[in-house]
Amino acid sequence: MKRVTIYDVAKEAGVSLATVSRVINGLEIVREETRVKVETAIDKLGYKPNAIAQGLALQKTTTIALLVPEASFAYTGQIINGLIDVAKIYKYNIMLHTMTEGIVDIKDVIDDVIKSRVDGVIIYNDKLMEDELAELSKYHFPIVIIGNKMSDTQISSVYVDIEKAVYELTLSKLHEDKTRSIGVIQDRKNDFTTKQMINGVRRAYEEMGIDKDGYIEIPSEYRRSYDYFLDHIKEIPYDFMIANRDSQAISAMNAAHEVGLEIPKDLELVCLIDSKYNSMVRPRLSSFAIPAYDLGAVSMRVLTKMLNEDEVDDKEIELSYLYTPRQSTRN
Amino acid sequence: MKRVTIYDVAKEAGVSLATVSRVINGLEIVREETRVKVETAIDKLGYKPNAIAQGLALQKTTTIALLVPEASFAYTGQIINGLIDVAKIYKYNIMLHTMTEGIVDIKDVIDDVIKSRVDGVIIYNDKLMEDELAELSKYHFPIVIIGNKMSDTQISSVYVDIEKAVYELTLSKLHEDKTRSIGVIQDRKNDFTTKQMINGVRRAYEEMGIDKDGYIEIPSEYRRSYDYFLDHIKEIPYDFMIANRDSQAISAMNAAHEVGLEIPKDLELVCLIDSKYNSMVRPRLSSFAIPAYDLGAVSMRVLTKMLNEDEVDDKEIELSYLYTPRQSTRN
DNA sequence: TTGAAAGCGCTAACAC
DNA sequence: GTGTTAGCGCTTTCAA
């Protein structure tokens, strides 16, 4: 099949290309009879409008760029699912860009995004990337940030208040028993999240007038947290540990078991991200449920709003979390 | 910043737009002096070439479409990572389309792909979608299929021979001990993979002259395989079970444990997909290592080959797997 | 209700 | 080595 354009359809139907364009775009001002003629021609020739040409003529691509750190995590996948489901509804396509640290130069990614003339961009990244945001802003891209609370003329955000989540959990544990000792496991891949978690714990400590740090740092000589825990879990001065990712909590769980610690009797464990594996390990892992799918879906919704209206009222949208106690915590 | 085009740059630099175009595209025939003039203008104005206009003029978008069933699985994520890393090297962008069953009409996805005039498409899906492939072929898209062995004028594929993997494992177990009873756990979400696994087991049985079926079907009234195993694992006439996904094997593992079966003494367990969770559960789960990242990376490489050469010699590329015994199997 | 024509931003002959 | 110009396929005034 040869490339068939709007001209071919016009000729086949015996009308002008303007009329074909009207039919394609469902404009009402076309007489029924000619509309049928055109549609017949379209079917016969197998014509599909060229989105690139449309994009050029209309100055919009109905495509949005999605930037994520990597595509490997179950969590990111959920975000993408939510986002795409909503994008489908509004007929937007997704250009996926990953920013694998070390492999990809973020400047290049931003450059690609600008050149591609997408209608908007959604960024999910633990790091804030102020320079890159500034660069995108120069070119007037509407932007939605997932995970970081912030906003600007052209920027909205959708996030979960992780600090609050950790703060509340810590506080409630401390209320139960003031001697509880609660610490956050460092997540090297997610600095900002780690920082929020730590702040949450510290705020709770402060409020209770307890002088504690609440931070479990994994020395860089340990490539896997499991190895670190195996060596040091007995010395860690916390009897309640909060991790970001399920895999980290599971590592601690396994190491604890290996060195004879009992969970949750000797050590309690919680993670932020809720994956199906939380219910698959034994003991089942207590966790928060950060609504990953919703973060994606809401972000896309916010973006379409920014794309269609001049002013968006709510530029910072906080999504709520749920705490789901399972077997790795008492009570 | 207002929209700046190649004309603006030309005017600013005092040259024609053709010259600017030459500079952008790095053509050698521009005098050093004028090149510098143009580059200065580009920097000053913050000009970025419009990929849409380029696409229209060149009849190529340097974008490829990637179709995946969902973005939620760790496995799919790995494929995407491999694919994107290679795509970056060749300067291709990725349009991500998911085909969530029930939510998305695949016809619409194919339609979007055709309209977007991507240079090629890569499809990872357990189902074959012959109609959709035919439709894409009509429009001459080069296509790479991940996971299914097949080829055509316009179609290449990259896959792992799962049937062989399961066949060889089964056969070796049967050689160790003819009384072994090996069965494949149905994966409802991946019919084709399930079929290949079953065929592998059956071929091994046949070869050994054993009259067995080797198929563990999970009745549709059970939404989760865990529930099924909890009810029925004691009656299942297999002492060695092969699952596709880690989560299924883990479900069986947990259920077995719950009803007092010991692993690997009473029941051995293996899964095809190698995720980090295989090493995190106790006992550690033996598994194959289907090279997900490589499936993606190689696919993208094959596609660029198809895009640049007229004929590709190797249209069906088989990737090899590894078997990694851990604690869920004896020996 | 329909058609003619300009323009979206760029590339690639072809001319100078 | 550089400029002129005709497309690429579509949308959208403006006329008819």
Side-chain angles (χ1 to χ4, degrees):
Chain A
M1 196 162 96
K2 137 178 200 320
R3 226 164 45 211
V4 21
T5 74
I6 199 169
Y7 290 96
D8 302 317
V9 177
K11 191 190 290 175
E12 174 75 28
V15 298
S16 80
L17 75 168
T19 302
V20 178
S21 173
R22 290 185 184 110
V23 172
I24 294 169
N25 296 296
L27 301 188
E28 293 301 333
I29 40 166
V30 180
R31 205 194 313 149
E32 173 70 14
E33 187 189 321
T34 61
R35 192 178 54 70
V36 172
K37 257 198 322 200
V38 171
E39 280 168 351
T40 311
I42 288 177
D43 285 348
K44 180 173 169 198
L45 300 178
Y47 169 73
K48 307 269 181 190
N50 181 330
I52 300 298
Q54 287 179 319
L56 188 59
L58 288 176
Q59 301 284 46
K60 69 192 288 295
T61 51
T62 54
T63 297
I64 71 123
L66 171 60
L67 312 196
V68 299
E70 311 180 44
S72 57
F73 303 125
Y75 185 59
T76 306
Q78 293 295 358
I79 292 181
I80 296 179
N81 275 337
L83 210 140
I84 292 195
D85 284 352
V86 175
K88 276 266 174 329
I89 296 171
Y90 294 102
K91 310 280 185 200
Y92 281 98
N93 284 325
I94 307 286
M95 287 263 224
L96 180 64
H97 298 269
T98 54
M99 311 176 289
T100 324
E101 223 161 330
I103 298 192
V104 185
D105 187 350
I106 298 199
K107 298 268 174 224
D108 290 341
V109 175
I110 301 293
D111 233 60
D112 283 343
V113 171
I114 294 171
K115 288 181 191 158
S116 69
R117 299 298 196 270
V118 289
D119 296 340
V121 5
I122 297 183
I123 302 178
Y124 165 61
N125 197 347
D126 186 82
K127 294 165 192 42
L128 200 34
M129 317 194 302
E130 308 216 11
D131 294 353
E132 286 76 14
L133 285 181
E135 177 77 0
L136 285 174
S137 290
K138 271 204 287 190
Y139 294 87
H140 301 124
F141 288 97
I143 302 174
V144 176
I145 306 283
I146 299 180
N148 278 294
K149 171 172 174 165
M150 69 168 294
S151 61
D152 200 338
T153 1
Q154 288 288 96
I155 302 182
S156 295
S157 57
V158 181
Y159 63 97
V160 169
D161 192 340
I162 288 176
E163 180 179 326
K164 189 169 70 185
V166 171
Y167 164 78
E168 286 179 348
L169 177 65
T170 308
L171 204 61
S172 84
K173 290 294 157 193
L174 253 24
H175 271 300
E176 278 173 20
D177 176 359
K178 273 197 91 165
T179 68
R180 291 310 300 270
S181 184
I182 293 146
V184 159
I185 301 172
Q186 175 188 35
D187 182 356
R188 284 203 215 105
K189 286 200 181 163
N190 295 284
D191 290 339
F192 181 63
T193 303
T194 303
K195 203 171 134 204
Q196 289 177 88
M197 297 197 300
I198 294 170
N199 287 344
V201 173
R202 289 191 181 153
R203 233 176 70 212
Y205 274 145
E206 266 175 44
E207 200 164 314
M208 297 294 284
I210 300 174
D211 181 28
K212 271 234 175 83
D213 187 4
Y215 181 37
I216 301 164
E217 189 178 348
I218 299 178
S220 54
E221 59 264 34
Y222 288 97
R223 274 205 55 239
R224 304 183 314 161
S225 50
Y226 176 69
D227 299 329
Y228 170 71
F229 287 128
L230 218 45
D231 286 356
H232 296 284
I233 201 162
K234 285 204 156 166
E235 319 150 7
I236 292 178
Y238 299 103
D239 57 12
F240 190 110
M241 292 175 13
I242 306 176
N244 178 32
R245 290 175 282 147
D246 56 352
S247 55
Q248 291 188 293
I250 297 174
S251 295
M253 182 183 277
N254 286 333
H257 186 80
E258 237 98 308
V259 302
L261 258 36
E262 231 175 273
I263 290 173
K265 196 172 123 303
D266 305 321
L267 174 65
E268 292 181 76
L269 240 27
V270 163
C271 71
L272 285 189
I273 291 178
D274 188 23
S275 81
K276 61 180 174 183
Y277 297 97
N278 288 337
S279 304
M280 297 223 248
V281 292
R282 294 295 181 268
R284 289 182 171 88
L285 188 56
S286 301
S287 76
F288 285 88
I290 308 293
Y293 181 94
D294 294 340
L295 281 172
V298 172
S299 299
M300 188 63 216
R301 233 168 224 129
V302 171
L303 187 58
T304 58
K305 231 181 197 161
M306 294 170 79
L307 259 22
N308 295 321
E309 302 163 26
D310 281 343
E311 275 307 308
V312 175
D313 39 329
D314 208 355
K315 282 174 153 327
E316 296 182 355
I317 299 184
E318 181 177 335
L319 262 39
S320 57
Y321 52 84
L322 225 62
Y323 176 61
T324 310
R326 297 197 183 85
Q327 303 168 335
S328 66
T329 45
R330 290 173 229 153
N331 70 45
Chain B
M1 195 162 96
K2 135 176 200 320
R3 224 165 47 211
V4 21
T5 73
I6 199 168
Y7 290 97
D8 303 315
V9 177
K11 192 191 291 173
E12 175 75 29
V15 298
S16 79
L17 75 167
T19 301
V20 178
S21 173
R22 289 185 186 109
V23 172
I24 294 169
N25 297 296
L27 300 188
E28 293 301 333
I29 40 167
V30 181
R31 206 195 315 150
E32 174 70 14
E33 187 189 323
T34 60
R35 190 176 56 71
V36 172
K37 260 198 319 199
V38 170
E39 279 168 353
T40 311
I42 288 178
D43 284 349
K44 180 173 170 199
L45 300 179
Y47 168 72
K48 306 269 182 189
N50 182 330
I52 300 299
Q54 287 179 318
L56 189 59
L58 288 176
Q59 301 283 51
K60 70 193 287 297
T61 51
T62 54
T63 297
I64 70 119
L66 171 60
L67 312 196
V68 299
E70 310 180 44
S72 56
F73 303 126
Y75 184 60
T76 306
Q78 292 295 359
I79 292 180
I80 296 179
N81 275 335
L83 210 141
I84 293 195
D85 285 352
V86 174
K88 276 265 176 325
I89 296 171
Y90 294 101
K91 311 281 185 199
Y92 281 98
N93 285 324
I94 307 285
M95 286 264 222
L96 180 64
H97 298 268
T98 54
M99 310 176 289
T100 325
E101 222 161 333
I103 298 190
V104 184
D105 187 349
I106 297 200
K107 299 267 174 224
D108 291 341
V109 175
I110 300 294
D111 233 60
D112 283 343
V113 171
I114 295 172
K115 288 181 191 158
S116 68
R117 298 299 196 266
V118 290
D119 296 340
V121 4
I122 297 183
I123 303 177
Y124 165 60
N125 197 345
D126 186 83
K127 293 166 194 41
L128 201 33
M129 319 193 303
E130 308 215 9
D131 294 353
E132 286 76 15
L133 285 181
E135 177 77 0
L136 284 174
S137 289
K138 270 204 289 190
Y139 293 87
H140 300 124
F141 288 97
I143 303 172
V144 176
I145 306 283
I146 299 179
N148 277 294
K149 172 174 175 164
M150 69 168 295
S151 61
D152 201 339
T153 0
Q154 288 289 99
I155 303 181
S156 296
S157 57
V158 181
Y159 64 96
V160 169
D161 191 339
I162 289 175
E163 180 179 324
K164 189 169 68 183
V166 171
Y167 163 78
E168 285 178 349
L169 176 66
T170 309
L171 204 59
S172 83
K173 289 293 158 193
L174 252 25
H175 271 300
E176 278 172 22
D177 177 359
K178 274 199 88 165
T179 67
R180 292 308 301 270
S181 185
I182 293 146
V184 160
I185 300 172
Q186 175 187 34
D187 182 355
R188 283 203 215 104
K189 286 198 181 164
N190 296 285
D191 289 339
F192 180 62
T193 303
T194 304
K195 204 172 133 202
Q196 289 176 88
M197 296 196 299
I198 294 170
N199 287 343
V201 174
R202 289 191 182 152
R203 233 175 69 210
Y205 275 146
E206 265 176 45
E207 200 164 312
M208 298 292 284
I210 299 173
D211 182 28
K212 269 231 176 88
D213 187 3
Y215 181 36
I216 301 164
E217 189 178 349
I218 299 176
S220 54
E221 60 263 35
Y222 288 96
R223 274 204 54 241
R224 305 184 312 160
S225 49
Y226 176 70
D227 298 329
Y228 170 71
F229 287 128
L230 219 45
D231 286 357
H232 296 285
I233 200 162
K234 285 205 156 167
E235 319 150 7
I236 291 179
Y238 299 103
D239 57 13
F240 190 109
M241 290 173 18
I242 306 174
N244 177 33
R245 291 176 281 147
D246 57 352
S247 55
Q248 291 188 293
I250 297 173
S251 296
M253 182 184 279
N254 287 333
H257 185 81
E258 238 98 308
V259 302
L261 258 34
E262 228 175 275
I263 289 174
K265 195 173 123 302
D266 304 322
L267 174 65
E268 292 182 74
L269 240 28
V270 163
C271 72
L272 284 189
I273 291 178
D274 188 23
S275 82
K276 60 180 173 183
Y277 296 97
N278 288 337
S279 304
M280 294 211 194
V281 292
R282 295 293 181 268
R284 291 184 171 87
L285 189 56
S286 302
S287 77
F288 285 89
I290 307 293
Y293 181 93
D294 294 340
L295 281 173
V298 172
S299 298
M300 189 60 216
R301 230 164 228 134
V302 171
L303 187 57
T304 59
K305 229 181 200 166
M306 295 170 78
L307 257 24
N308 295 321
E309 304 163 25
D310 280 344
E311 274 307 309
V312 174
D313 38 331
D314 208 354
K315 283 175 152 322
E316 296 183 355
I317 299 184
E318 181 176 335
L319 261 42
S320 57
Y321 52 84
L322 226 61
Y323 175 60
T324 310
R326 296 197 184 84
Q327 303 167 333
S328 67
T329 45
R330 287 174 232 156
N331 72 44

